[in-house]
Amino acid sequence: MLKRQFSDSKGYAIGAMRRTLMSASILLLATLTTTFGLAAQFPAVKIEPVVTDLESPWGLTQLPDSSWLITEKNGKIVHINALQERTEHDNLPADIFVPGQGGLLDIELHPQFDRNQFVYISYAAGDVEANRLTIARAKFSNNRFDDWQVIFAVSPDKDTPVHYAGRLLFAPDGALLITSGDGFDYREHAQRKDSMLGKVLRISDWGEALSDNPFYTGDGGAQDFIYTLGHRNPQGLVVDSVSQTIYLNEHGPAGGDEINRLSPGTNYGWPVVTDGKDYSGANISPFSDYPNMTLPLVNWTPSIAPSSMVLYRGDLFPQLNGDFLVTALKTQRLHWVRVVGNEILIDHPVVDSLQARLRDIHVGNDGAVYILTNGENASLLKMTPQ
Ligand SMILES: [Ca+2]
């Protein structure tokens, strides 16, 4: 049987030649990227660990009291309060399916958390033969979770333990957006409106399809829930708090990682249009564009394996206002991306000192950038100006 390779587990050994090429291209980019004639430079930063000994964390969110909730793949939520006191919560839904890229994934607060205390999680549920991305919510108060309720499950079931996607975002209009991966062996589903795989889905805070969704019919089928289609394994999902525009990043196969600017009903091409190739080196598609499919805003070939991102609007780094900071598993650095209109002004890796596979990122209530590393013995790192 052929050993399958999945994008999240792409090797990240970078050969010496490639490293040299990358350094050369960073220099070139830094030189070419000018703002009023001056090369744009990433600010000098200080990185310090805030939390250590995290076991395969995936997602994080910050509460109004500035404490943190961090998910761990094996089915735990770690709460860290302002005094750095740690509580581990494992009274979660019982059907979490952990193998492969499954397990507990993202965590997101309801926009009115102050009033209703609702916290949402995404996770893989089911078993080897039939598993699916699932969304549940509970009340979190007095440092305990109560009354877990499953509000939504992606269909159809799949028999691969990979490409769940699972990033959650409450949009400014109050809708909950969910990234859903293509399940790896089901990539043609990304183009099908009768499947929720390979999509961004849009639901109410109680899991219902919203009647202003772009393909809504009211019959309760998959297409009622679809916001955008043609995605592979999108793990970054952000809204610009100024323009209210929503952006996503997604893993390509070998090459073809992307940032896309989302608009409802748009088809982002996978697997018909991609810059990536299969891990075997075979072409996935002969098309570099296709009618009614939208090309990415940013394309990374070779892959960086983008795991998450923020669009920075905090106070601590005025130089980064409006820029993307993308966490990458493969290159083990942040990627600094500045796009104005459709023009990419900056796109290069920064903060060489990180040297870890990066899993998630969040701008804190204090404007600092918090970065979650990947794997066992992972950490939450705080990035501030030096
Ligand atoms: Ca695409």
Side-chain angles (χ1 to χ4, degrees), residues 229-232 248 250 256-260 267-275 293-299:
L229 66 159
H231 301 290
R232 185 171 179 272
L248 154 157
E250 57 186 290
D257 294 350
E258 300 179 347
I259 293 179
N260 290 297
N267 184 335
Y268 292 89
W270 176 256
V272 178
V273 179
T274 174
D275 242 32
M293 294 188 192
T294 295
L295 294 175
L297 193 58
V298 176
N299 167 68

Side-chain angles (χ1 to χ4, degrees), residues 45 121 136 197 210 215-216 222 266 323 370 385:
V45 297
I121 58 169
L197 301 175
L210 292 164
F215 308 112
Y216 185 84
T266 299
D323 294 351
Y370 290 83

Side-chain angles (χ1 to χ4, degrees), residues 93-317:
D95 58 344
I96 299 180
F97 174 67
V98 175
Q101 295 168 359
L104 178 58
L105 300 173
D106 207 10
I107 186 160
E108 172 82 339
L109 304 183
H110 191 283
Q112 280 91 48
F113 174 84
D114 271 336
R115 272 187 276 153
N116 61 28
Q117 289 86 50
F118 279 129
V119 172
Y120 291 69
I121 58 169
S122 61
Y123 63 98
D127 54 32
V128 173
E129 283 84 31
N131 57 74
R132 67 208 71 87
L133 181 71
T134 298
I135 314 299
R137 78 175 186 185
K139 289 214 176 210
F140 183 72
S141 60
N142 300 317
N143 201 9
R144 53 174 286 171
F145 288 96
D146 282 306
D147 194 20
W148 282 107
Q149 295 173 305
V150 170
I151 65 156
F152 183 74
V154 162
S155 67
D157 286 354
K158 58 192 190 61
D159 62 2
T160 54
V162 293
H163 288 204
Y164 293 97
R167 195 63 70 194
L168 302 176
L169 174 72
F170 272 101
D173 62 3
L176 177 58
L177 299 175
I178 305 158
T179 66
S180 170
D182 73 349
F184 192 81
D185 282 350
Y186 302 81
R187 65 191 188 195
E188 74 281 3
H189 281 236
Q191 289 295 324
R192 283 171 43 178
K193 295 196 185 77
D194 63 348
S195 170
M196 296 184 192
L197 301 175
K199 306 292 181 328
V200 173
L201 306 169
R202 182 172 178 269
I203 62 175
S204 72
D205 64 355
W206 183 232
E208 300 152 317
L210 292 164
S211 60
D212 57 348
N213 280 345
F215 308 112
Y216 185 84
T217 64
D219 72 1
Q223 79 173 58
D224 284 8
F225 296 85
I226 296 173
Y227 186 64
T228 58
L229 66 159
H231 301 290
R232 185 171 179 272
N233 195 22
Q235 296 191 328
L237 188 63
V238 295
V239 60
D240 179 357
S241 58
V242 172
S243 70
Q244 318 259 292
T245 308
I246 295 161
Y247 297 87
L248 154 157
N249 64 24
E250 57 186 290
H251 294 275
D257 294 350
E258 300 179 347
I259 293 179
N260 290 297
R261 182 187 282 138
L262 296 192
S263 58
T266 299
N267 184 335
Y268 292 89
W270 176 256
V272 178
V273 179
T274 174
D275 242 32
K277 290 180 184 292
D278 255 328
Y279 297 117
S280 65
N283 283 329
I284 288 169
S285 166
F287 302 111
S288 55
D289 59 43
Y290 202 86
N292 302 316
M293 294 188 192
T294 295
L295 294 175
L297 193 58
V298 176
N299 167 68
W300 287 288
T301 301
S303 293
I304 67 164
S307 52
S308 192
M309 64 180 172
V310 292
L311 197 156
Y312 190 83
R313 291 291 188 188
D315 296 328
L316 273 192
F317 292 102

